[in-house]
Amino acid sequence: MRTQIFIYCFLLTIITFLNSSYSTHSQDLTVKLIHRDSPHSPLYNHLHTVSDRLHAAFHRSISRSRRFSTKTDLQSGLIANGGEYFMSISIGTPPWKVMAIADTGSDLTWIQCKPCEHCYKQKSPIFDKSHSSTYKTEPCDSKPCNALSKKEEGCDQSRNICKYRYTYADQSFTEGHVATETIYIDSSSGSPVSFPGTVFGCGYNNGGTFDETGSGIIGLGSGPLSLISQLGSSIGKKFSYCLSHTSSSTNGTGVINQLDTFQAKQGKTSNTYYYLNLEAITVGKTKIPYTRGGGGGGGYSLNKTNSGNIIIDSGTTFTLLESGFYDDFGAAVVASVTGAKRTSDPQGILTHCFKAGGKSMGLPEITMHFTGADVKLSQINAFVKLSEDIVCLSMIPTTEVAIYGNLVQTDFLVGYDLEAKKVSFQSIDCSGTGS
């Protein structure tokens, strides 16, 4: 296989919910996600090179992986400004447009609310709950309040109002009331669909390193307070997203190449995160069991069929694999690359980089073997281009929790079935879904 052009540029991404009860006709609820490094993003800096963006994404990936560690609480490891995608919804009556970080690793959706005790600087106007006729606080003994962990919940006893508080790893924080509101999600018909009584956090005390662009966080995890779980039967307990890597046809019609759909069994070790079970990875013709110590015979299995061993996450850029396994995996990649020599990342961060020689570089085909699914990665999934003659592997070693990041998910329609506990992968041209 020969190298193609590797573009690290996520533009408009589509997240789709199947609406089955709020209309007489089933329709798709579609929300556009904007990657933080896209030219469409308010955070876009034209002075940053592709290498700059990749190395920043590397640091965010490492920071985010610490959040998923079993050694930390649910929210405590999150870096507040580490999200990769912004999502726009409307909230309240009349509807108020908000843009927030979309996060498959968070549950409770929260946004900044007036009146503020302390709110971080936000470019767009802050939601004023007093102007909404559908805003309602939750009492301290309510089911949503009880769904918070002991460290996250609180109570304003004088007014019987449930409170939440999250403190993040970089000491950023949010605190506010747990309330219900009507939210609106765009649909394929062109008219937004309303979901009254949705639980969210109305944050009046927020600070730290949050991006000025975002109003808060939209929780897309599997826990009881996430937006996904609350929509529940209204979306058939299913949602999907399609991550685009190319800018050429994002605003055009595009062609959707519908190929095979693979169903991977989802393990369950957390109420929030989505786990898969990775059994092996094939590099070229070499299949390496997912064991600590790789295929050398001396390692022990990392497979956990009943609980899963790798988190699939849209908010982490790189894929993180267990460091003991990674030694053999990386060696297999090095042995399979042709027409190039191994080289160092100029910034000393990425571990497996290759510099083209006089001949065309040949990169191996890499296939991820999950329980119930074999997912064949394209070169754009598996490798990233640092410069005209240097490419690096998009997978890195970790001593924390393994994560299946968003680079390897590009140009796949990734579907989540919460009821069946399955994740599906459909090879597709995601750039054509932005039309």
Side-chain angles (χ1 to χ4, degrees):
M1 298 178 67
R2 301 301 179 191
T3 54
Q4 305 295 323
I5 297 176
F6 301 88
I7 304 175
Y8 178 63
C9 183
F10 296 86
L11 294 176
L12 299 182
T13 297
I14 303 299
I15 183 167
T16 302
F17 312 91
L18 179 62
N19 178 28
S20 59
S21 68
Y22 278 77
S23 171
T24 55
H25 301 286
S26 181
Q27 60 181 313
D28 287 340
L29 309 179
T30 303
V31 179
K32 290 182 178 179
L33 304 182
I34 302 175
H35 192 274
R36 62 184 297 133
D37 290 332
S38 161
H40 294 275
S41 168
L43 298 179
Y44 180 74
N45 187 334
H46 70 280
L47 297 177
H48 289 171
T49 66
V50 171
S51 180
D52 291 336
R53 296 186 183 108
L54 281 171
H55 289 114
F58 172 90
H59 288 297
R60 292 195 301 270
S61 295
I62 296 299
S63 295
R64 188 169 171 85
S65 73
R66 292 172 183 149
R67 175 209 182 160
F68 296 120
S69 171
T70 55
K71 300 174 184 178
T72 64
D73 292 329
L74 193 65
Q75 296 286 340
S76 61
L78 176 65
I79 300 300
N81 64 355
E84 296 298 303
Y85 294 92
F86 289 105
M87 175 176 171
S88 181
I89 61 172
S90 295
I91 187 169
T93 307
W96 187 271
K97 201 80 167 180
V98 298
M99 181 177 287
I101 295 171
D103 189 4
T104 54
S106 289
D107 278 341
L108 181 68
T109 294
W110 67 266
I111 63 171
Q112 295 206 105
C113 287
K114 286 184 177 180
C116 294
E117 286 185 8
H118 172 79
C119 287
Y120 62 85
K121 185 179 179 181
Q122 181 179 310
K123 290 182 178 179
S124 60
I126 295 175
F127 174 67
D128 191 336
K129 62 185 181 182
S130 66
H131 292 170
S132 174
S133 62
T134 47
Y135 177 86
K136 183 181 179 182
T137 57
E138 284 289 306
C140 298
D141 60 351
S142 65
K143 186 175 180 179
C145 198
N146 290 331
L148 293 168
S149 74
K150 295 298 181 183
K151 291 184 178 180
E152 298 165 351
E153 71 169 307
C155 178
D156 181 343
Q157 295 184 347
S158 63
R159 294 186 292 172
N160 191 25
I161 297 177
C162 178
K163 298 171 63 178
Y164 78 93
R165 179 176 177 86
Y166 292 148
T167 301
Y168 300 101
D170 59 359
Q171 302 307 306
S172 296
F173 60 91
T174 175
E175 180 181 15
H177 291 154
V178 177
T180 58
E181 256 294 9
T182 299
I183 68 163
Y184 301 83
I185 298 177
D186 292 337
S187 72
S188 55
S189 69
S191 299
V193 179
S194 64
F195 294 88
T198 302
V199 177
F200 80 112
C202 192
Y204 53 75
N205 186 20
N206 321 292
T209 62
F210 296 107
D211 290 319
E212 295 179 9
T213 301
S215 301
I217 290 177
I218 297 177
L220 301 177
S222 61
L225 293 180
S226 78
L227 180 60
I228 297 299
S229 296
Q230 290 189 70
L231 297 187
S233 58
S234 301
I235 58 170
K237 296 186 178 180
K238 298 177 182 178
F239 76 101
S240 63
Y241 53 73
C242 206
L243 309 181
S244 173
H245 62 76
T246 176
S247 60
S248 60
S249 60
T250 298
N251 296 316
T253 56
V255 177
I256 298 177
N257 301 313
Q258 297 189 7
L259 301 177
D260 294 333
T261 299
F262 306 99
Q263 297 281 345
K265 184 177 180 181
Q266 178 194 328
K268 185 178 184 299
T269 62
S270 166
N271 287 332
T272 300
Y273 312 133
Y274 301 101
Y275 278 82
L276 301 175
N277 192 62
L278 179 61
E279 297 179 347
I281 300 178
T282 293
V283 179
K285 295 182 179 180
T286 304
K287 189 173 185 178
I288 310 165
Y290 193 55
T291 59
R292 180 165 292 173
Y300 64 86
S301 176
L302 295 165
N303 292 331
K304 300 176 182 178
T305 305
N306 294 326
S307 59
N309 58 14
I310 187 167
I311 295 171
I312 179 171
D313 181 44
S314 64
T316 303
T317 300
F318 288 86
T319 290
L320 283 71
L321 300 173
E322 203 280 331
S323 58
F325 163 82
Y326 192 90
D327 293 340
D328 283 358
F329 169 69
V333 173
V334 171
S336 301
V337 173
T338 61
K341 294 183 178 180
R342 188 169 178 186
T343 189
S344 299
D345 174 1
Q347 295 193 33
I349 294 178
L350 300 176
T351 59
H352 285 68
C353 298
F354 306 91
K355 186 172 183 177
K359 300 179 181 180
S360 296
M361 188 187 306
L363 299 175
E365 185 176 272
I366 295 178
T367 301
M368 312 295 289
H369 301 285
F370 297 107
T371 299
D374 294 332
V375 180
K376 185 183 297 184
L377 303 180
S378 70
Q379 293 178 3
I380 293 176
N381 294 131
F383 296 89
V384 292
K385 184 177 181 181
L386 287 189
S387 64
E388 286 303 314
D389 59 350
I390 297 178
V391 299
C392 298
L393 192 60
S394 69
M395 305 175 209
I396 57 179
T398 182
T399 56
E400 303 285 344
V401 176
I403 300 174
Y404 195 65
N406 60 45
L407 283 175
V408 292
Q409 297 179 55
T410 59
D411 274 354
F412 283 97
L413 180 64
V414 183
Y416 294 76
D417 187 329
L418 274 63
E419 192 165 41
K421 297 191 183 304
K422 289 187 176 181
V423 177
S424 64
F425 299 89
Q426 184 179 27
S427 181
I428 197 169
D429 177 8
C430 292
S431 65
T433 63
S435 57

